[in-house]
Each structure stands twice: as structure tokens, then as C-alpha cells.
Amino acid sequence: MSGTTSAAAVRSGSWEELVTSALLGTDRRPAAGKPGELLDAAATQTLRRRAGLVPAAAGERPKAAPPDERPALPEAARRRLAMLLADRSAPAHAGGRRGSAPDLGELLPQWLAIANERGLRAPAALLPTLLDAARARTDLRPQALTFAGPRGLWLARLNPEWRFALRGASGSATLPDPGDAESVRLLWDEGLFAERVALLGAVRAYDAEAGRALLAATWATERAEDRLMFLDSLREGLSAADEPFLERALADRSRNVRSTAAELLSALPGSALAGRMAQRATTCVSLDRTGEGPLISVEAPHECDAAMQRDGVAPRPPAGRGERSWWLGQLVESAPLDTWRARLGGRTARDIVVLPVADGWRDELHAAWCRAAVRQRDAEWSRALLGTPSAPPGEGSGTASLAERAKLLSILAEGERADWVARFISAHGLSEAFQLLGVCVVPWAGALGRAVVDALEIARDAGSYPWSFSGVMGLAERCLDPSEAARLEALTATPPEEEGASPGAGGYWAEAFQRLVATLRLRAAMREELLG
């Protein structure tokens, strides 16, 4: 076969024949001709295939984006948002970074929070970048989706990568009037899950009975994960009127739904479940007066019967926990805290917490009371279990657990919370304060801000490295009142290196304080820009 004949055969071959020849090679398939002829034929067939494509049918044109009536951003704020979104780095711990430049990734959540407080509208051109940022960082999503508003939700429907927004957005900007029964029912039946959650909250705030009726109407047909989230949304505005619905939910086919219903009922001290739990708990905890002084005696349950399980007591403990202590903790945390005044001799919460507990049950009992105080939002018990901030952890009457202390602090009023943490820092420094600072209201002002700055200065003068306090430095950048910048200015200079200090620590501290001052000033500028 001549070269010309071979090339013609190649050109006339089907696409499948060309692929076979390419896979086997022209040496093993002589009819395919030379390699160059094979490539020429492939180019020809590719052009034919493209020319022969049938145009796809045009898709349905998307509906127009809904209006967003919120005020537009001031121009300076819009430019700032574009700059913050352009820095796509993940949040970092400030004390572990080098350089004096602010961490823009950490400032974006604060910018969004202020913009949402002011009720401003997201620029349409920045919505795709904003949704990309929220997709990459889950910590941004609540604020970012609120700021994106109805147009962000509309845009998310057109891109599968932004699907998270359809379940996580508040949808509040598109909700109907909660008094418009027909529109409410239509959105409840046809809306996205995020819209339905927001709608339930809005209707409950307007008319709690109507909100419960709305949820009950479709409860049996909802998915288990959706029932759980709907139930969780009842925490806001929870009242005794919700008890009948929650009692029915105790029989739900989902274990998580049953557990959440039981938790919500136990947060209602007057509920029948709380009464049942109190009756069980008081058979386990009593006051022993037979010794030299009063003593709390504990006899943990010996079984977890079906009635206990129906009321939300999980029968199987996690790894490392004994069954009886696990059951006891669940009973005590679900009993109304007022139970213990009558059960333990009419004593106040503070008096009860200082009583000795027999047989090593103290930590278990106090931990359950901590959970009960948080669940029932009881400030008196929270103060008693917190103890004195100046007392060394583990030596006072309160809990030594920082995690428990942080939760208890969240129950107190903002001013009292900040004062307690400020006194804790003044007494113990910053090494154990990170979790406690995290529950304080931003910005830290007054005594708390001064206590943090003083403790940082003491740490610097002690010659330690700043990254030993990376968590607190990061919080300080985000949470200190920007007015503290002037006071911190004196700490930005490199101090003389004292004998015995860590080598180079002074320079690192100066750099960290320079970054802190720059960040505080940038936060002040951001707020001014958003105020317009």
C-alpha cells in the first residue's frame, strides 16, 4: 500500500478507528499510515465532529434577582470590603505571626458584623467573592449570608458550589409579614429550609401559638435532621406553652430529636419532665447529718429503665465513664435547681456548693450542677459555682474547669462577666484566661481591657516570647476597644534586653504590639467608614 493510499484510508476512517490506531501505534497497525498522517486525520475528524454538533436547547432564563431595599454601602466601606475579600488567607493566631501588618482575614468577620448592625446592602459586584469566602470559611457564613441578603440567596441557587447558602442563610430579608397567613403557609410549604427556619422564628415572635401550629402541621413528614433543627430553633422564646409539643416529641423516632426535646423540657423548671427528673435525682442525693458536720451523700442509680430513657437519659456512657455516674449526671442536670434548696436543708446555692460531698462524688455532682445552671440560665447558681476569681483554681469552692467557668460566665450580665474575668486575669495572668475572654462582650472596655493590656506588659517584662500568648494576642486584636491604641503606643518600642530574658524576645514583643496598635486603628477606621 502506497503512502498516498494509506493516508486516504486514515482520513476516511471513523473516529473509533483513529483512537484504536493511536492506542496500538502505527507500527502495530500499518494501515494507519505514518504518525503524521494519523495526526492529520485526527484533526480532520475533530473538525467534522465539532461541525456536526446539534445545538442544545436553550435553558429556562432565571427569574430576575429580588430587590434588596437596604441602604447601599458608603464608597469607602465598599473599597474596604473589596480589600478584605481579596485577602483570602485563613485566620491566623496573631501572636504566632511575624510582621506588624494587621491580619485582614481576622477583620472581615468584624466588618460584616458592623455592616449587618447598620442594615447595609452588599454590593452586587462583590456577591460572588463574598459567597466564595463564606464557602471557604464556615466561621464567616452566618454574617456573610445575612449581609448577602435575598440577592445572595438568589445567586446561590445558580451555582452548585454555593449550595451551602440554601440551608444556612437566614432568609430574613425575604420573609412575608408573619400576620399574612396565606403567604406564611405558601413559604412554609414551598420555601428553602433556611427560609422555613427563619419563618418559624418570625412567626413565633409574632404569635407563639401560630408558630407551634405551623410546625405541628408538617412535623410528621419532615426529615429527621430537619426536625432536629426546627426543634433546636425553639430555644429562642421557649416557654411553658411549648411543653405539650415537646412532650410529644419525646416519642419521636429519632434519638437526637428525643434527646433535644428532653433537654428543652428540662430547661422549663415547671415542666412535668423536670418534675420527674427532680424526683429521681432527690433519691440519689441527700444530706447526711450523722457525722461532725453536714455532708452531701450520693447514691447513684443502679439501672436506666425505660421511663428514664423516654425522658432523655442516654443509657450508654461514653468511653471512660462509668454507667452509674453517667446516669446520675443526667438526672441532676435535668432537675430544677430549686429542688436542692428544699432537699439540702433550705440552704442557698452558695452554701450548698461549699458542702463536702462523700465518697469522691464532688466533681461529678458539681459538673452536673454547672450544666443545669447553664441550661436553666440561673445566675445565682452560676455565681456560686464560679467561685471567687482571685482563688487559685481547684482550691476555692467553685469549679476548677475553665470550660465550665466560661459557660457559667455566659449566664451573667455583660458588666458582671467582664469584671469577673478582669479580676481573674489580675490574680492569675493570661495563661489560663483564653477561654474566659472568649465569652466576654466585644469590645473589651474599662477594667477588662486594662487588665489584658497590663498582663501583656507584665509578660513582656518577664522576658517570655509573645507566641506563648498567641491566642490572647489574637483575641486582643479583635476584641480590645480601639481607644486602647494610644495607651499601647508606648509598648511598640523595643525594650532593652534584660539579663536572663529569652534572646530576641523584646524585638518580637515590639513587633506584636505594633501589629496590635495597627489593627486597633484599622478597626476604628472601618467603623468610621461604615458609619458613612
Side-chain angles (χ1 to χ4, degrees), residues 7 11 14 17 49 54 85 88 90 102 115 122 153 161 170 215 228 342 347 405 436 439 441 459 471 490 498 531:
R11 287 194 297 271
S14 67
E17 290 173 344
R49 287 166 63 89
V54 178
L85 288 172
R88 301 294 299 280
L153 200 61
E161 291 188 347
S170 67
L215 184 57
L228 180 62
R347 289 173 169 81
R405 285 182 163 187
L436 306 181
V439 299
V441 175
E498 302 290 340
L531 292 175

Side-chain angles (χ1 to χ4, degrees), residues 302-327:
H302 290 273
E303 65 172 341
C304 183
D305 57 32
M308 288 169 61
Q309 292 182 45
R310 181 187 179 276
D311 283 346
V313 178
R316 294 185 180 179
R321 289 286 301 274
E323 282 186 336
R324 296 183 66 199
S325 64
W326 173 242
W327 299 333

Side-chain angles (χ1 to χ4, degrees), residues 394-416:
E395 296 184 16
S397 59
T399 176
S401 165
L402 290 173
E404 288 175 353
R405 285 182 163 187
K407 292 176 181 178
L408 292 168
L409 280 168
S410 68
I411 305 304
L412 303 182
E414 296 176 6
E416 185 180 359

Side-chain angles (χ1 to χ4, degrees), residues 13 43 60 71 87 132 158 196 241 264 270 276 293 321 473 502 519:
E60 183 180 351
D87 181 46
D132 279 341
L158 306 178
R196 299 177 74 213
L264 292 173
R276 296 192 295 269
R321 289 286 301 274
M473 287 296 290
S502 303
T519 302

Side-chain angles (χ1 to χ4, degrees), residues 59-398:
E60 183 180 351
R61 187 172 182 173
K63 296 180 181 179
D68 190 339
E69 305 297 339
R70 295 176 294 176
L73 281 177
E75 179 57 26
R78 189 201 64 76
R79 291 196 300 269
R80 180 74 68 186
L81 175 60
M83 181 184 71
L84 295 175
L85 288 172
D87 181 46
R88 301 294 299 280
S89 59
H93 292 301
R97 293 187 289 114
R98 293 301 309 275
S100 57
D103 181 0
L104 299 184
E106 284 289 357
L107 292 176
L108 182 55
Q110 287 203 6
W111 189 99
L112 290 169
I114 300 170
N116 288 333
E117 286 174 9
R118 296 215 55 219
L120 298 173
R121 180 176 76 239
L126 292 178
L127 281 175
T129 314
L130 180 66
L131 290 171
D132 279 341
R135 179 172 64 91
R137 285 181 54 181
T138 55
D139 63 307
L140 287 178
R141 289 182 183 177
Q143 296 281 15
L145 296 176
T146 298
F147 183 57
R151 290 187 171 182
L153 200 61
W154 171 85
L155 197 58
R157 293 189 182 99
L158 306 178
N159 185 346
E161 291 188 347
W162 299 330
R163 194 174 298 146
F164 68 90
L166 304 183
R167 291 187 66 85
S170 67
S172 58
T174 59
L175 296 181
D177 184 332
D180 184 348
E182 184 177 349
S183 297
V184 164
R185 188 68 206 192
L186 181 64
L187 184 59
W188 182 255
D189 290 339
E190 300 180 3
L192 298 169
F193 180 76
E195 294 171 324
R196 299 177 74 213
V197 170
L199 179 65
L200 178 61
V203 174
R204 273 177 60 83
Y206 175 78
D207 181 347
E209 181 58 38
R212 285 189 296 273
L214 192 66
L215 184 57
T218 59
W219 179 258
T221 60
E222 304 285 357
R223 300 185 305 170
E225 57 266 36
D226 291 349
R227 293 200 306 278
L228 180 62
M229 292 189 71
F230 281 133
L231 204 59
D232 197 62
S233 71
L234 299 185
R235 295 180 190 277
E236 188 71 28
L238 183 68
S239 71
D242 294 316
E243 183 179 358
F245 180 84
L246 293 173
E247 275 284 347
R248 291 193 294 273
L250 289 175
D252 195 90
R253 55 188 180 274
S254 164
R255 180 177 62 83
N256 289 334
V257 171
R258 295 195 301 271
S259 176
T260 301
E263 180 189 343
L264 292 173
L265 284 167
S266 68
L268 297 170
S271 69
L273 179 137
R276 296 192 295 269
M277 289 299 199
Q279 187 175 13
R280 295 173 181 127
T282 53
T283 64
C284 301
V285 180
S286 59
L287 192 64
D288 185 350
R289 304 175 186 270
T290 59
E292 296 182 358
L295 178 77
I296 295 178
S297 176
V298 175
E299 179 67 26
H302 290 273
E303 65 172 341
C304 183
D305 57 32
M308 288 169 61
Q309 292 182 45
R310 181 187 179 276
D311 283 346
V313 178
R316 294 185 180 179
R321 289 286 301 274
E323 282 186 336
R324 296 183 66 199
S325 64
W326 173 242
W327 299 333
L328 172 74
Q330 293 178 83
L331 296 182
V332 172
E333 74 181 72
S334 300
L337 287 164
D338 288 346
T339 301
W340 306 111
R341 179 185 289 272
R343 181 63 173 167
L344 300 176
R347 289 173 169 81
T348 65
R350 197 176 297 277
D351 292 336
I352 290 171
V353 167
V354 299
L355 286 173
V357 182
D359 302 324
W361 284 103
R362 180 185 184 278
D363 289 347
E364 187 70 47
L365 186 60
H366 280 211
W369 278 336
C370 284
R371 295 192 296 273
V374 173
R375 184 179 297 181
Q376 297 171 37
R377 306 197 65 78
D378 191 300
E380 180 190 359
W381 273 86
S382 294
R383 293 187 192 99
L385 290 161
L386 275 168
T388 305
S390 58
E395 296 184 16
S397 59

Side-chain angles (χ1 to χ4, degrees), residues 447-518:
L448 180 57
R450 289 192 295 272
V452 171
V453 173
D454 290 344
L456 288 172
E457 186 174 2
I458 291 170
R460 184 200 67 165
D461 294 344
S464 56
Y465 286 117
W467 46 78
S468 301
F469 302 92
S470 60
V472 175
M473 287 296 290
L475 277 177
E477 290 185 10
R478 300 190 297 275
C479 303
L480 266 177
D481 192 309
S483 64
E484 294 285 345
R487 183 176 169 218
L488 287 162
E489 188 68 48
L491 301 177
T492 59
T494 303
E497 193 165 297
E498 302 290 340
E499 184 177 352
S502 303
Y508 295 138
W509 274 108
E511 202 173 69
F513 280 122
Q514 289 165 14
R515 182 172 57 249
L516 178 54
V517 169

